[in-house]
Amino acid sequence: MNMITRIESETGDNKPGVSERLRRMPLWQRGSLVALPVVLVAAGLSIASKDAPAAMAAPPPPVVTVANPLVRDVNEWDDYVGRFEPSRAVEVRPRVSGAIIGVHFTDGAIVQKGQLLFTIDQRPFAAALAEARAGLASAESDLALARSDLGRAERLVSVEAVSKSDVERLQARVRAAGAAVSAAQARVRSRALDMEFTQVRAPIAGRISDRRVDPGNLVAAGEGQGGSLLTTINALDPIYFTFDGSEALFLKTKRAKETGAQASPVEIRLQDETDYKWKGKLDFTDNGLDPKSGTIRGRAVLSNPGMFLTPGMFGNMRLSAGGTTQALMVPDTAIQTDQARKLVLTVGKDGTVAPKPVTLGPVVDGLRIVRSGLTAQDKVVISGTQFAAPGGKVNPKPGKIAPTATSQAPALTAPVTGEATFAR
């Protein structure tokens, strides 16, 4: 007979398994085993909730510094670049030909009008003058004789001792002798001028160049390039400053003149200067624009009593762009950029940040001129702009806008060249 026999483990262990033991436990024990983990988890969560910090409160609005735009009277300028030119320039050439026998100036000196510069050998011209004077004396003698003959003939004509035709011939002779005297006098004046021209004098006052001809050389008189060049003289007081301006700036100047504006003042700074110390005024603009470059030539005139300014020197010029005007100014650091727009952050009465598009002008002592977009009553964020978000809330703190002295640009110096040795 087949019987089902329970198979024992090889080890002979007859202990029931975990599942068998759980099955044999009373119901209340099995419930406690299930509830214990739940209680432990709940206790842990309760402890964790006691140790956790309270939920974070909303942060206070950031603090920014605000101020009203600074209202100041300013002069706006347009910048140009140009060079100095003499107000008058003369090429000194001889008016008579001859040999140079004397030079009476120092190269590069300041000369006055009428000052003697060169002397040409006068002997040939003195002889010609003496000859002309002799011819004048002869012509005057002929005139005197002709007048004497005419007088005698006029006394005899009344007694019919002389014919009327003879008297007319004598009258013609007197007139011819008078004309000869006039011609002789003109020759004397011409020869006297030649004598005077042997002394070459300065036609204008100014700084003279070096001599182009030394004593002993022959010079030729003539017009333009036909005459020998002796030297040149530049008039430096006053002196001109010439520059090229754009069509837009030319139009702005024309519009200002139509409104009755006075001659625009100019200020010029030299290459090694940090401020605009040379003052003048605009006195000339050309009669047309260059169609190739779209610019027009302008000229300013400056006083130069010390003859320091020299033709050919380079300079930076600024031209007044409309006189004194009232402008709103904010720190240049307060200007924000939004793509192609320039913005200024303002704060309303409720502390809300609002950006305002603005039109800007130049910078003066660290302050940017605002041409439009702001009013004098606006509260502009001047510090803490990185914390001010458009549309957000801020805590405004009053501040003040003031110009800041900018450091002067270093003076330009000549490039270091040559060499040096220790003094012995």
Side-chain angles (χ1 to χ4, degrees):
M1 175 176 72
N2 294 331
M3 296 181 65
I4 298 175
T5 307
R6 183 176 178 182
I7 301 175
E8 301 291 341
S9 62
E10 296 180 354
T11 58
D13 188 5
N14 295 327
K15 295 181 180 180
V18 175
S19 59
E20 183 65 21
R21 289 197 300 270
L22 288 175
R23 187 176 58 85
R24 295 178 180 178
M25 284 182 179
L27 183 61
W28 65 272
Q29 289 183 345
R30 283 184 288 177
S32 63
L33 290 176
V34 174
L36 181 61
V38 176
V39 173
L40 293 177
V41 171
L45 292 176
S46 176
I47 296 173
S49 63
K50 291 180 180 179
D51 295 338
M56 294 183 62
V63 177
V64 297
T65 304
V66 299
N68 296 110
L70 180 66
V71 181
R72 290 283 292 272
D73 291 335
V74 298
N75 291 322
E76 294 197 36
W77 306 84
D78 296 321
D79 294 326
Y80 299 88
V81 175
R83 292 190 180 275
F84 290 95
E85 291 184 356
S87 55
R88 287 183 294 167
V90 174
E91 292 182 342
V92 180
R93 300 179 187 272
R95 302 180 69 173
V96 293
S97 301
I100 297 292
I101 61 173
V103 178
H104 309 285
F105 67 92
T106 303
D107 294 347
I110 302 297
V111 297
Q112 303 301 321
K113 183 177 180 179
Q115 180 177 332
L116 181 62
L117 304 179
F118 296 91
T119 300
I120 299 175
D121 189 1
Q122 298 179 346
R123 291 174 296 176
F125 304 99
L129 177 60
E131 182 181 2
R133 286 173 175 169
L136 174 60
S138 176
E140 289 175 342
S141 177
D142 291 342
L143 176 60
L145 178 60
R147 286 175 176 172
S148 177
D149 291 343
L150 177 60
R152 284 192 298 267
E154 288 176 342
R155 288 192 299 269
L156 294 174
V157 74
S158 60
V159 296
E160 297 182 354
V162 177
S163 65
K164 208 169 182 180
S165 61
D166 290 340
V167 174
E168 291 176 350
R169 281 193 293 272
L170 289 174
Q171 289 175 341
R173 181 182 170 188
V174 170
R175 289 192 295 270
V181 170
S182 297
Q185 290 174 341
R187 284 193 293 273
V188 169
R189 289 195 295 270
S190 176
R191 299 300 180 263
L193 281 176
D194 289 344
M195 276 289 294
E196 183 180 340
F197 292 154
T198 59
Q199 293 185 334
V200 181
R201 298 182 178 274
I204 61 173
R207 188 180 297 279
I208 195 168
S209 181
D210 60 336
R211 62 184 184 276
R212 307 295 172 84
V213 178
D214 291 320
N217 289 284
L218 293 174
V219 294
E223 297 181 359
Q225 301 298 324
S228 301
L229 179 62
L230 302 181
T231 187
T232 59
I233 301 176
N234 288 332
L236 304 182
D237 186 22
I239 194 170
Y240 291 150
F241 182 84
T242 59
F243 59 93
D244 291 327
S246 66
E247 183 175 352
L249 295 175
F250 171 70
L251 287 174
K252 183 166 68 173
T253 303
K254 294 288 286 185
R255 303 294 185 195
K257 287 185 177 179
E258 290 179 355
T259 60
Q262 300 297 323
S264 300
V266 300
E267 297 182 356
I268 298 176
R269 173 175 61 85
L270 300 183
Q271 195 175 32
D272 63 341
E273 294 175 342
T274 57
D275 58 343
Y276 293 82
K277 60 178 291 187
W278 303 98
K279 315 295 183 181
K281 65 179 181 179
L282 186 68
D283 75 327
F284 164 79
T285 53
D286 210 347
N287 57 358
L289 281 83
D290 187 348
K292 296 181 180 179
S293 61
T295 59
I296 188 169
R297 185 169 61 94
R299 186 182 72 195
V301 59
L302 296 87
S303 178
N304 186 28
M307 306 288 182
F308 180 82
L309 300 176
T310 305
M313 290 175 63
F314 169 87
N316 293 93
M317 186 192 81
R318 59 185 188 185
L319 173 65
S320 177
T324 303
T325 58
Q326 196 174 72
L328 299 179
M329 310 177 75
V330 299
D332 196 38
T333 56
I335 306 299
Q336 306 292 313
T337 302
D338 180 14
Q339 295 182 353
R341 299 188 307 167
K342 297 297 183 180
L343 304 173
V344 170
L345 299 180
T346 61
V347 179
K349 294 182 179 180
D350 59 350
T352 303
V353 178
K356 286 193 174 183
V358 291
T359 302
L360 303 179
V363 176
V364 181
D365 289 343
L367 300 182
R368 175 74 68 172
I369 294 176
V370 179
R371 300 190 189 277
S372 63
L374 275 184
T375 65
Q377 291 72 35
D378 287 329
K379 298 292 185 180
V380 179
V381 179
I382 61 175
S383 178
T385 54
Q386 66 273 22
F387 305 117
K393 297 287 187 177
V394 294
N395 182 15
K397 181 178 67 173
K400 185 179 179 181
I401 298 176
T404 57
T406 57
S407 59
Q408 296 285 352
L412 299 178
T413 57
V416 179
T417 57
E419 58 181 282
T421 60
F422 287 107
R424 297 179 179 176

